[in-house]
């Protein structure tokens, strides 16, 4: 399976200085050896092949998502940073992916973009994460008991719908500057 950067569920509208794709197998013999040594079976790996503009192509493998969601590669506000949804969600500098940034669990259910402000908001099972392409800006408090949907951004506010296990849906808002959330579902002590 090959997934182009702009065809995945989490793909963004940000400019990029690379081409990338996902394959489900290690690309080189060295990667296959590393995967075997690390205990990652090839059919359980998500490999990302990247060709930076003006740089050498490379690839890296991650474990498959555990929750059955499809892996994908997505753009970020930084044109040299790509994201991948695998066992967790990571961002990495395509010019040298030494230390991927862990963006949270693999259950990213929706994304909202502030293209002009250079931010993206990733809705997961319980919380929202703001990312600017270089670092996590904030993580909201838990706003959902099962998953988040309908994430959107307008006028400095992130809007979304929190759902509990029984299907009850409650709207919430988050200040995009501070990460302070209003509404949603909360665990009662």
């Amino acid at each position: 399976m090959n997934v182009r950067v702009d065809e995945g569920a989490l793909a963004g509208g940000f400019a990029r200085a690379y081409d990338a794709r996902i394959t489900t197998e290690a690309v080189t013999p060295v990667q296959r050896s590393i995967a075997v040594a690390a205990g990652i079976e090839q059919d359980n790996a998500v490999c990302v092949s990247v060709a930076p503009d003006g740089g050498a192509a490379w690839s890296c493998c991650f474990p498959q998502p555990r929750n059955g969601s499809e892996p994908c590669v997505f753009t970020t506000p930084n044109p040299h940073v790509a994201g991948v949804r695998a066992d967790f969600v990571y961002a990495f500098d395509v010019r040298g992916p030494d230390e991927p940034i862990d963006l949270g669990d693999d259950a990213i259910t929706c994304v909202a973009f502030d293209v002009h402000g250079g931010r993206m908001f990733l809705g997961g099972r319980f919380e929202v994460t703001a990312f600017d392409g270089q670092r996590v800006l904030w993580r909201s408090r838990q706003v959902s008991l099962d998953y988040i949907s309908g994430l959107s951004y307008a006028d400095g506010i992130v809007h979304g719908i929190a759902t509990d296990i029984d299907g009850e849906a409650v709207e919430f808002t988050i200040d995009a500057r501070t990460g302070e959330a209003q509404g949603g579902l909360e665990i009662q002590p």
Side-chain angles (χ1 to χ4, degrees):
M1 168 179 82
N2 289 327
V3 180
R4 300 283 306 168
V5 172
D6 291 327
E7 293 174 1
L10 292 178
F14 297 107
R16 67 181 191 275
Y18 57 86
D19 191 17
R21 65 186 172 95
I22 287 183
T23 62
T24 53
E25 60 187 47
V27 178
T28 68
V30 172
Q31 287 180 329
R32 285 189 285 276
S33 297
I34 292 170
V36 169
I40 302 171
E41 297 176 31
Q42 274 194 310
D43 58 349
N44 288 331
V46 175
C47 296
V48 179
S49 296
V50 178
D53 291 353
W58 57 268
S59 58
C60 183
C61 293
F62 302 89
Q64 279 276 9
R66 296 177 308 257
N67 67 356
S69 60
E70 286 294 316
C72 72
V73 178
F74 57 94
T75 61
T76 73
N78 183 324
H80 298 286
V81 174
V84 63
R85 179 174 62 191
D87 64 328
F88 288 91
V89 179
Y90 303 96
F92 51 87
D93 190 318
V94 299
R95 297 166 295 185
D98 297 331
E99 293 290 326
I101 301 166
D102 181 353
L103 295 178
D105 69 48
D106 64 336
I108 299 300
T109 57
C110 53
V111 178
F113 301 99
D114 173 11
V115 175
H116 297 295
R119 300 176 290 182
M120 61 191 311
F121 307 98
L122 302 129
R125 293 182 297 179
F126 309 119
E127 61 192 22
V128 175
T129 301
F131 182 63
D132 70 357
Q134 295 181 324
R135 67 190 174 286
V136 171
L137 301 171
W138 49 256
R139 291 188 199 281
S140 71
R141 69 165 170 80
Q142 182 174 348
V143 294
S144 177
L145 301 179
D146 193 16
Y147 67 93
I148 294 170
S149 63
L151 212 58
S152 64
Y153 170 80
D155 301 323
I157 303 293
V158 178
H159 300 266
I161 299 171
T163 306
D164 76 5
I165 297 168
D166 295 330
E168 177 187 4
V170 177
E171 292 183 6
F172 65 87
T173 59
I174 300 174
D175 182 313
R177 188 177 50 80
T178 65
E180 185 176 327
Q182 301 294 323
L185 298 163
E186 296 184 54
I187 295 176
Q188 301 299 322

